[in-house]
Amino acid sequence: MTGRPYVLLSCAVSVDGYLDDTAAARLVLSGEADADRVDGVRAGVDAILVGAATIRRDNPRLLVRSRARRADRAARGLPPDPAKVTLTASGDLDPRADFFTLGDAEKIVYCAAPAAAAARARLSGVATIVEVGGRADLPAVLADLAKRRVRRLMVEGGADILRQFLAAGLADELQLAVAPFFVGDPAAPRFGGAAVPANDAANRMTLAESRRLGDVVLLRYLLGPASVDRRWLREAIELSRRSPVSARAYSVGAVIVDADGEIVATGFSRERDARDHAEEAALRTAAAANTTPDAARRLAGATLYSSLEPCSVRASRPRSCTELILAAGIRRVVFAWREPALFADCQGAEKLSAAGVTVVEVPELADEVRGVNAHLFGP
């Protein structure tokens, strides 16, 4: 694995942007529905990172609660819980904290050089201590996590850690749960702030999802300096991780986005049926949801993003995804990884191009798609 992990920031805020209040007890911002969503996100990552101050103040467990999700991780050859990661400048952490004592997942402490020796002595036997140049050396932290085969990193706080990732431009996604009340205390910790570069009209975040969870609203944004194509393709790769594991088929994600940047439909492999392909599932949803006379025009101006090259031949259904894309009238397709000759000789890109469809390949994201499908290729 090369580069750095996909970095997902996750937090809950009040309507006026506060992460907490100043009371001794932790302010509960989200409800049970959002807590279950967060549990699902945790189950889909390789590691969870929080700051040392969060460990001292909140004593988080950072475990996957759902038995079904833990079983699904085991089926994918993963430990029941993601690795736990923290950053510290002082090394002042209690080895009896839940972060260290609960769960069998690996615990990694990135410690500023002056305090590394003391941290090793204090945390010997409960965590791996990795010395870094300074408290904010996030590139070094991400590079080391990549070497440890962490492909997806969830950052859960606190405020300072979230700001550091945003200020460094090292976040790929922001999941923001907004609670329906105000805190209104200038002394309380707040999300964002002066340390975070402003987004203007030329550098907007991409809204991938908005969802009601009880009385909480989830806003999910795609971030980073990447092009819009790369952002949506990363979204397709994230969707592919929801595919039920199969030893005989790829895990693929697909997103259809119209010319205005609005999601028309999404899909992933085996979404409703063991034979479902991602593009097929997305096109089926698009057809069901868009029954107006303008639906065909909307699809004609849309782009289909797929983590894997659309298939050109298949045995499980009468028509390939390439044929379904052409029948739907979509004129632009973006994908990350050419389909290897494992199950079939795929010529989807060539057939789409020959039919006049604009095809864009983004091979720099292919490693991420390979990672999702690593179970098909062995060690």
Side-chain angles (χ1 to χ4, degrees), residues 109-335:
V109 177
Y110 291 95
C111 186
R120 286 192 182 97
R122 183 177 297 112
L123 302 172
S124 175
V126 300
T128 299
I129 311 301
V130 181
E131 183 178 321
V132 290
R135 65 185 292 273
D137 195 358
L138 295 182
V141 170
L142 294 178
D144 186 75
L145 288 171
K147 291 178 183 177
R148 297 172 189 273
R149 303 200 64 78
V150 172
R151 293 185 172 89
R152 300 185 74 237
L153 175 67
M154 182 180 186
V155 180
E156 292 199 30
D160 184 53
I161 292 293
L162 293 167
R163 280 194 291 266
Q164 286 182 45
F165 273 94
L166 287 168
L170 293 172
D172 300 292
E173 181 177 335
L174 169 64
Q175 296 191 3
L176 192 68
V178 182
F181 55 82
F182 296 88
V183 170
D185 185 347
R190 196 167 189 174
F191 179 65
V196 178
N199 281 87
D200 54 27
N203 187 31
R204 299 169 68 91
M205 299 184 293
T206 300
L207 180 64
E209 181 184 4
S210 59
R211 192 193 328 166
R212 179 175 178 173
L213 297 161
D215 61 358
V216 172
V217 174
L218 169 69
L219 301 173
R220 193 162 65 82
Y221 291 99
L222 309 181
L223 312 178
S227 68
V228 171
D229 274 352
R230 284 175 58 88
R231 286 182 177 178
W232 284 120
L233 193 51
R234 293 296 289 268
E235 175 70 2
I237 295 170
E238 291 304 294
L239 275 168
S240 73
R241 301 177 194 278
R242 296 168 58 182
S243 306
V245 178
S246 170
R248 299 176 57 83
Y250 294 102
S251 293
V252 183
V255 185
I256 302 173
V257 181
D258 69 15
D260 296 323
E262 297 287 335
I263 293 179
V264 178
T266 65
F268 54 87
S269 302
R270 300 171 290 284
E271 182 172 357
R272 288 196 291 182
D273 183 281
R275 296 173 296 171
D276 277 349
H277 285 198
E279 303 94 328
E280 173 187 32
L283 289 166
R284 181 177 61 216
T285 300
N290 294 275
T291 58
T292 66
D294 290 334
R297 189 182 306 113
R298 189 184 187 200
L299 281 180
T303 296
L304 186 146
Y305 296 91
S306 179
S307 58
L308 187 71
E309 177 186 12
C311 69
S312 59
V313 61
R314 63 187 293 189
S316 58
R317 293 268 166 82
R319 293 200 290 177
S320 69
C321 290
T322 294
E323 292 172 305
L324 293 173
I325 290 167
L326 293 174
I330 289 178
R331 308 306 298 165
R332 189 169 186 270
V333 173
V334 180
F335 70 91

